[in-house]
Amino acid sequence: MSGILARRRQKLLALKALRTAPAPAETETCPACGAGLPRREWVRSLSVCPRCGFHRPVGAYYRLSMVLDRGTFRELDAELCSADPLDFPGYRDKLAQARRRTGMGEGVVTALGRIGGRRAAVGALESGFFMGSMSAALGEKVTRLVERAEKDRLPLILFSASGGARMQEGILSLMQMAKTAAAVERFSRKGGLYISVLTHPTTGGVTASFASLGDILLAEPGALIGFAGPRVIEQTIGEKLPEGFQRAEYLLEHGFLDAVVPRAQLRETLIRLLALHGKGAASHG
Amino acid sequence: MAERTAAERVALARHPDRPGTPEFIGTLFTDFFEQRGDRLCGDDRAILGGAALFHGRPVTVLGTRKGRAIEERVACRFGMPSPEGYRKVQRLVRQAEKFRRPVIAFVDTAGAYPGREAEEHGQGEAIASTLALMSGLTVPVVSVFTGEGGSGGALALGVANRVLMLENAVYSVLSPEGFAAILWKDAARAEEACEVMKLTAADLLELKAADEVLPEPPGGAHTDPAALMATVDAALVRSLAALSRTAPAALAAQRYRRFRALGAAAVRKERA
Ligand SMILES: [Zn+2]
């Protein structure tokens, strides 16, 4: 790959990452501990609070820029977006707003890239776009990524962050659960390696489909991960939920994660895992 | 006769006398042997399933169960399955594949149970792995949506080669009450939600999430159960006859394509 091309790609990714980042301010307050920290300190710490360790949600482009080798990001299907299939009142305007605000077509970024020199198919959901909720376009992009990984015999890495279903797309939102799960199942039967990273928050249909189907399940510290939301559960059972319920550490204790990995160690963890799967990660079929 | 509104159909779909999975199994199948338990930690009464004969042919039949008397309804969590239920489904469909039996699933649930234990036992993982498993089965799968079909909890039993819906059954991403609460912060607007959600059998047929709508007696399924059973029986015979001629690998491929295509028209291309 030419150096110029790589630099250009890196610049593009950095620009996109900035576009979806929150508006710059001199100091930003940690939502968890209230500490006011200079913006550059947040940047240096990958948006993890240096005082309390709180992992702030980050945008999809920024997320990918944190784990990919510099200059290797090649976005796929960037032009795919929702077509308002149910003609739902007000949805088109909201979509247009979300597009303007984030500069993204849909709530997931999918790409090919390299991690520690190894090629991979990667994707990240964007919590700033309709809370990363499952739309037909999001399901389509994820499915295409999985199929691309299968075709090119690449390991698959997906970062989830989702509030659940895209209400405005009704049953078609729901159907994406079956579609993405089926694609992952096919990929898996062919021997493909899939690492799923659950980030705050991952709930509803995304949890109950592709996000839970990784060979390896990782999560960021403190991430809320579940199927039903805590408020719905409290209303149903009529009691308060225990401290830490549905948090990454809680899931780890209950046997539903391989590891909780701090953001600063995520890239090296992925590199290690790809190496552990050796050729198997890239030559299945 | 005037068309029913979507809200009227939701009410019919939830009617307490509406035939449920136990009635369908009891009427349409012979020699039903209930298989209980997930072989991991429990038995979810909200899922009823086992081996049976359908017109003399061995099948695996399963479905959600709401219960009738109040004690039974509570034991079945009003038809909302727990992870143990989905893992029981997985056990049964794996056996169906092993013994080359078609799978017939009846779906009538508001959704997966949103409880503390359900989450601790991995409700999300249980549904996800059921979807994945069902998608790759090499035996015919026919799902019949008989009443309420709510969210991923219903979909887990609906990854089929053919999805049939009773005329007044509904199938949606969430209950109308939940939908109104989330989108408009007002659960009282549920009736309005019914109309915009596109959750009736006719809507689902148009969106290709359902393949066939089965007519109900004029007053609804509960007013003439015998007529309803005859309709469902004939539809199952038809569906299974068509699928029985399909090769095992082609069954999985057809199911994959069926779901792969859903939502394709809901996507367009535009430069961001
Ligand atoms: Zn803090």
Side-chain angles (χ1 to χ4, degrees), chain B residues 18-218:
Chain B
R18 193 169 175 86
T21 298
E23 287 77 34
F24 286 105
I25 293 180
T27 312
L28 303 177
F29 299 80
T30 53
D31 289 313
F32 174 62
F33 178 77
E34 184 183 358
Q35 295 179 268
R36 294 182 58 177
D38 64 0
R39 298 297 185 274
L40 296 165
C41 71
D43 179 52
D44 182 2
R45 304 303 288 150
I47 295 285
L48 171 65
L53 298 177
F54 182 68
H55 291 271
R57 180 185 177 186
V59 296
T60 287
V61 59
L62 52 89
T64 55
R65 168 168 52 191
K66 285 185 170 174
R68 293 278 169 207
I70 185 65
E71 304 80 35
E72 194 195 10
R73 290 173 68 80
V74 170
C76 292
R77 295 196 197 278
F78 304 90
M80 294 185 279
S82 296
E84 294 75 25
Y86 294 110
R87 292 180 184 127
K88 175 159 73 176
V89 169
Q90 293 182 24
R91 185 170 80 82
L92 296 192
V93 301
R94 276 199 188 96
Q95 266 184 29
E97 192 167 46
K98 175 179 175 186
F99 298 113
R100 306 309 304 164
R101 296 193 292 249
V103 175
I104 297 162
F106 294 98
V107 190
D108 179 16
T109 177
Y113 184 68
R116 175 181 163 173
E117 274 193 355
E119 290 292 318
E120 287 173 347
H121 296 178
Q123 189 72 283
E125 188 280 338
I127 294 172
S129 52
T130 307
L131 296 172
L133 176 65
M134 298 275 285
S135 75
L137 287 180
T138 56
V139 290
V141 182
V142 179
S143 293
V144 190
F145 282 71
T146 66
E148 285 182 283
S151 116
L155 175 66
L157 275 64
V159 186
N161 293 94
R162 277 188 78 73
V163 175
L164 315 179
M165 276 185 82
L166 299 193
E167 183 186 344
N168 295 307
V170 294
Y171 188 8
S172 55
V173 67
L174 191 67
S175 72
E177 291 78 8
F179 186 92
I182 287 184
L183 211 57
W184 301 321
K185 318 278 174 240
D186 185 2
R189 287 170 72 185
E191 202 172 313
E192 193 182 335
C194 292
E195 303 306 321
V196 297
M197 284 174 77
K198 306 230 163 100
L199 47 60
T200 69
D203 292 329
L204 278 271
L205 187 69
E206 199 183 317
L207 293 165
K208 296 192 168 67
D211 300 298
E212 192 178 341
V213 178
L214 309 181
E216 291 185 25

Side-chain angles (χ1 to χ4, degrees), chain A residues 30-35 42 49 51-54:
Chain A
C30 170
C33 71
W42 282 109
C49 176
R51 297 266 174 81
C52 73
F54 177 71

